[in-house]
Amino acid sequence: MINNRILDEILGQYPVKVKKNRKKHIVIKDADMDRQEIDANTRTIPGVITNRGCAYAGCKGVVLGPLKDVVHIVHGPVGCGYYAWLTRRNKAKSEDPTKNYMTYCFSTDMQESDIVFGGEKKLTRMIDEVVEVFKPEAVTISATCPVGLIGDDIGQVAKNAHAKYPEVNFTAYSCEGYKGVSQSAGHHIANNGLMQHVIGQGNMEEVPSSFTLNILGEYNIGGDGWEIKQMLEEIGYHIQTVMTGDGSYEELKNAHVSNLNLVQCHRSINYIADMLEIKYGTPWLKVNFIGIDSTIKSLRDMALYFSDQGLMERTEAYIMRELQKVETLLEPYKRICEGKTAFCFVGGSRGHHYQGLYKELGIDTILAGYEFAHRDDYEGREIIDSIKLDADSQNIPNLTVEPDVNRYRVKVSPEKMEELKEKIPLNYYEGMMRSMHEGSIIVDDLNHYETEELIRILKPDIFSSGIKDKYVVQKMGIPTKQLHNYDYSGPYAGFGGAVNFARDIAMSLASPTWNYTVPPWHSKPLLEGKILERVSDNA
Amino acid sequence: MLDCTPKEITKRSGGLINPAKTCQPLGAMYASLGIHGCLPHSHGSQGCSAYHRAHLTRHFREPVMASTSSFTEGASVFGGASNLKTAINNVFTIYNPDVMAVHTTCLSETIGDDVATIVKTAEVPEGKVIIHANTPSYQGSHVSGFSNMTRAMVHYLAEADEENKKSQINIIPGFVNPGDMREIKRLADLMGLSSIMFPDTSGVMDAPLTGHFDMYPRGGTTVKQLRDTGNSSLTLALGSYASADAAHLLEKKCRVPALVLRTPIGVKATDEFIMAMRQHSIKEVPYELELERGQLVDIMTDVHYHFHGKKVAIFGDPDIVIALTEFMLSLGMKPIHALTGTPDSTIGGPQGSFEREVKGMLEQADLQGQVKAGADLFTLHQWIKNEPVDLLIGTTYGKYIARAEDVPLVRVGFPILDRAVHSYLPIAGYKGAMRLLEMIDNALLERIERDCTDEDLELVM
């Protein structure tokens, strides 16, 4: 167990300023307290080995990149485009394979002369070349660090390109890596751009079915989105668009018609969810399709929102059928997992989402945290208004939208809305901390030193995080599970996904390879012998 | 797969589509890891460090520890000096490395941070060292970054403090795997030479699983060794792109003669490496090496009919592709496409010789081929569409072309993200050539077996 004294000892190794800072990012859950405050979305101190990335990674890498029928040009030196190329496992398929650009990486590969004289001309040439060869309907331009510094006006380049190719949608994103304090700034920038220039650009006016949804913040890692989509379609929903896993410009531009927005990853997409409500009157529902109980709850909440008898019946029938299917499948894995403990440190939602699934397998999450979340992801959205914006957050433009004169529709009457809000998380996320148990640790922006120290003390049976700390922890002899890319497995969403996850976790725990960590000569003495007789007494 | 890539080649100048290179800082980070007890430090946004660590980790499946200056918008406007000073203090207090190796990024280069001065005036704990390299991402490639950090090791640390040169030699292995570095050191040992390899990631990027995490594993060139490189009597720089600059600086700074050789991949380049050591030590080549070489040539001859005349496309880092091309030619294969993402010339960088060297080899073999530096995989794919090959040799990124064109791929070079073991076993030296030969031979034979009719399936091949 960790208490404040042990925590103080750990932090005591830091220089004074670092200690003062980090102390506010670590909370020991006290169930007696109504609310515990944690510091989040603030700068990582230089020199501290963090897992965090940059605004560009959040914008192009996370939110924009999965849009499959869009050419994503990365304006900058080669690295940024290269690293965000096929590394995230956001799967996508298209009926017309010539409209799927996922396997392509477009970098303007800025050279020294572009830095000195400006890179707008090169970017313009790149646009001409991709339009000619790829014939996309939409193009995004994402800026990397030097672009903002040298003053390339990518917005103007996009405008000029649109004038030249009016049939193509061009959007520019000033998501330079130094903006904000983590990927989170990039999510916001991408949300603003999609809302301003893509969503609502389609000419669909009528909703295709009364149960039409958008799924927000689902990136189809390892096929999660496909699993969710199939489940929802079977129950009777129509999915207009997924933001943005296996998503497309074609579908996204008509996202305004839907009756409800589901929010899976709150952190990366809550801005669009909010703006869709203001602009088109579409409420959003916080769902979690990771874990069986969470999936069931999400399905029931959705059915309740529509309050349609047939939908409710199909939901219950689906749940019953799937539960029966997975129960026996899960049994052997549960036997291996039962009684184990986990650390769960992931981006901005999964640190919370996976705790329920772990619990279903009998695994207790004793430490959890987010890499780039805000306080509301920990404490709940009710605290948003009380968050004081620091300079780093203020640098990210906050887009405000107005109700659309023609397209705003009241989806649910205000009275019904209030009634529903009592029962289901409509336009609301409760955050991670409420569902954690007494004594568990919540760490924001967990760093290398704290990882080592907390593992030494808490000795978890499984450590779930990302690629950068995976092998650090594995060297310690502790099984790991990457929850950013699922260690190239998945899907983990829905009922079938839970079984995949259980299989993979059980595999990591039960792998016979762990038996060979210590060579036999370390556990056996070099010389062996035994005492033949006692000689002393008779002498 | 890659359905948008047309066969018809048009001239492009707007940048790269599917690059065959990445940026300098990644190479600098890898080189830094080849110093014992070193923490690489990325002076830029957090994203740079996160991407480089993730990418190196995917290739090696090992921890890659590195810190960052965590630039924010403020730092980008007012300069990153304060961030770097804070970082230096925190790194030595929290992580206690022997060496902190700082490299720049396009961000800190564009705003013009004077890292040399910041490093010089930083408060460094007694017995600790900071070195730095300028690695702007808008010049060269990850190979240039590796070269620049290796050069920084010489610049900051090498000293000629002995009256006479020692008989020891320096070996700069270039951007190769720890398995290759081990093999190259073994060859020097067999030649009876005392050597200092730098950087040396063996024992760092192929560390064992023990149940304990060592932030600074046993391997890597020590600071003491790096200082002593100035007292050596010869530097063998393997691969001109990754290793020549450091060797030339060492020659200038400490008067250690530099000899630039090809990366010892394949029989001929390994012969040249051995001959250079033989000449230096004035010692005959031991039978053990003669045996290894003889075995390699034996296999090459035994199964020459498996690969003779087969057309091959090779891509990757310039030093590696040059050596591979030479090896393919010595097998009687036809390397008709050779491509590297690293440019032949960059402002401020040395003039590379990729195109000249490879074209020269093809000419000598009376072969027509496409050879290009600073090119991308979109181009390579188009070449292959226009002139198909029997085999593709390159990094993991080649798998999409391989699938689109139904060509077998042998994974060689950096990065390999979808296979294991590659970083542990060598492709350098005679043993490494034997391993390469096995991979190539198996790929070609498995393709024949996959495609042939039942009656043509041979028991013996």
Side-chain angles (χ1 to χ4, degrees), chain A residues 454-520:
Chain A
L454 291 164
I455 285 179
R456 185 173 58 80
I457 293 163
L458 293 170
K459 302 185 175 56
D461 296 298
I462 187 141
F463 182 90
S464 39
S465 180
I467 183 76
K468 293 186 288 291
D469 38 12
K470 179 181 178 70
Y471 299 101
V472 170
V473 177
Q474 227 167 252
K475 290 278 190 228
M476 300 177 189
I478 295 169
T480 60
K481 182 71 203 167
Q482 292 187 66
L483 283 185
H484 292 266
N485 67 19
Y486 302 168
D487 286 309
Y488 325 104
S489 180
Y492 288 161
F495 293 87
V499 177
N500 292 340
F501 184 72
R503 177 201 62 209
D504 289 352
I505 294 297
M507 180 161 69
S508 297
L509 293 170
S511 168
T513 59
W514 295 113
N515 299 333
Y516 301 93
T517 306
V518 181

Side-chain angles (χ1 to χ4, degrees), chain A residues 15 45-47 49 52-53 57 82-83 97 104-105 107 109-110 112 125 129 145 149 178 181 448 474-476, chain B residues 2-5 13-14 16-18 21-22 46 52 55 62 68 73 76 90 95 107 138-139 207 209 211-212:
Chain A
I45 299 168
I49 300 180
R52 279 179 166 180
Y82 172 90
Y83 299 117
Y104 290 94
C105 166
S107 166
D109 184 31
M110 283 173 103
E112 182 142 20
R125 289 204 300 275
E129 287 161 14
C145 288
L149 298 173
Y178 53 76
V181 298
H448 171 75
Q474 227 167 252
K475 290 278 190 228
M476 300 177 189
Chain B
L2 297 175
D3 293 285
C4 307
T5 308
S13 62
L16 301 172
I17 304 177
N18 296 358
K21 65 164 182 183
T22 185
Q46 274 157 203
H52 303 140
H55 209 65
E62 288 292 313
T68 163
E73 193 145 2
S76 308
N90 286 335
Y95 306 109
L107 170 55
Y138 45 75
Q139 285 176 357
L209 184 73
H212 302 283

Side-chain angles (χ1 to χ4, degrees), chain A residues 49-278:
Chain A
I49 300 180
T50 171
N51 275 359
R52 279 179 166 180
C54 63
Y56 159 80
C59 179
K60 193 276 173 185
V62 172
V63 180
L64 302 178
L67 292 168
K68 60 192 172 186
D69 57 351
V70 177
V71 164
H72 301 289
I73 296 175
V74 180
H75 185 39
V78 68
C80 305
Y82 172 90
Y83 299 117
W85 174 28
L86 291 168
T87 45
R88 185 156 163 262
R89 300 197 70 230
N90 44 273
K91 291 176 181 260
K93 60 180 171 217
S94 305
E95 271 175 37
D96 177 0
T98 64
K99 289 284 171 241
N100 183 343
Y101 309 122
M102 283 296 100
T103 49
Y104 290 94
C105 166
F106 305 90
S107 166
T108 53
D109 184 31
M110 283 173 103
Q111 296 298 302
E112 182 142 20
S113 55
D114 305 315
I115 300 288
V116 176
F117 301 110
E120 292 176 14
K121 280 186 186 150
K122 195 169 190 189
L123 175 60
T124 305
R125 289 204 300 275
M126 176 58 116
I127 290 171
D128 288 339
E129 287 161 14
V130 296
V131 168
E132 191 196 321
V133 175
F134 292 83
K135 301 176 179 60
E137 281 176 42
V139 174
T140 66
I141 300 156
S142 295
T144 69
C145 288
V147 170
L149 298 173
I150 63 170
D152 271 6
D153 188 347
I154 57 169
Q156 191 56 48
V157 173
K159 266 185 204 146
N160 297 347
H162 186 62
K164 191 170 174 189
Y165 308 105
E167 70 286 3
V168 185
N169 177 301
F170 290 93
T171 46
Y173 299 83
S174 293
C175 54
E176 286 85 351
Y178 53 76
K179 291 202 168 152
V181 298
S182 69
Q183 291 94 313
S184 176
H187 302 147
H188 197 161
I189 292 164
N191 274 230
N192 289 351
L194 291 178
M195 194 65 201
Q196 256 179 316
H197 302 293
V198 178
I199 295 169
Q201 297 299 307
N203 49 21
M204 203 186 265
E205 297 300 339
E206 294 305 318
V207 63
S209 125
S210 357
F211 311 127
T212 300
L213 312 164
N214 300 320
I215 306 175
L216 278 63
E218 168 47 55
Y219 301 102
N220 202 30
I221 309 302
D224 272 355
W226 290 332
E227 190 80 10
I228 295 166
K229 211 171 163 185
Q230 193 195 2
M231 171 168 70
L232 299 186
E233 282 173 353
E234 199 182 320
I235 292 170
Y237 294 102
H238 173 82
I239 315 297
Q240 170 55 37
T241 185
V242 181
M243 296 178 208
T244 50
D246 192 33
S248 69
Y249 168 73
E250 269 309 299
E251 293 166 354
L252 182 58
K253 64 185 181 185
N254 286 314
H256 57 274
V257 298
S258 295
N259 305 101
L260 176 67
N261 292 313
L262 306 181
V263 170
Q264 173 74 13
C265 172
H266 174 259
R267 181 69 266 136
S268 62
I269 210 91
N270 76 90
Y271 315 95
I272 286 182
D274 263 351
M275 288 188 276
L276 284 174
E277 198 200 3
I278 297 166

Side-chain angles (χ1 to χ4, degrees), chain B residues 178-324:
Chain B
D180 293 312
M181 296 187 187
R182 279 180 199 283
E183 180 62 11
I184 291 166
K185 283 192 290 187
R186 189 183 70 92
L187 295 178
D189 281 351
L190 282 172
M191 288 302 294
L193 279 168
S194 156
S195 64
I196 299 173
M197 173 171 282
F198 75 97
D200 180 4
T201 60
S202 67
V204 182
M205 296 312 291
D206 59 358
L209 184 73
T210 58
H212 302 283
F213 168 70
D214 291 319
M215 187 141 172
Y216 309 109
R218 287 187 183 199
T221 320
T222 61
V223 171
K224 196 168 161 238
Q225 286 176 311
L226 284 168
R227 292 218 162 96
D228 201 32
T229 53
N231 298 317
S232 299
S233 47
L234 175 69
T235 302
L236 293 179
L238 307 180
S240 61
Y241 282 79
S243 307
D245 270 11
H248 288 143
L249 181 64
L250 199 48
E251 188 167 60
K252 208 166 127 192
K253 186 181 171 188
C254 303
R255 298 182 184 284
V256 180
L259 184 57
V260 182
L261 298 172
R262 281 189 184 147
T263 307
I265 295 171
V267 62
K268 204 165 163 223
T270 306
D271 282 350
E272 277 160 24
F273 177 51
I274 300 290
M275 289 300 278
M277 290 193 285
R278 175 177 176 264
Q279 194 174 351
H280 176 76
S281 63
I282 321 182
K283 241 187 230 160
E284 268 318 328
V285 177
Y287 178 69
E288 200 172 340
L289 271 175
E290 198 161 322
L291 174 69
E292 282 176 20
R293 185 184 186 282
Q295 287 171 332
L296 170 65
V297 177
D298 187 73
I299 301 167
M300 286 166 65
T301 312
D302 284 349
V303 289
H304 67 273
Y305 55 89
H306 288 167
F307 37 73
H308 191 99
K310 291 278 193 286
K311 287 180 179 169
V312 55
I314 308 168
F315 75 95
D317 295 342
D319 294 331
I320 309 300
V321 175
I322 290 170
L324 281 172

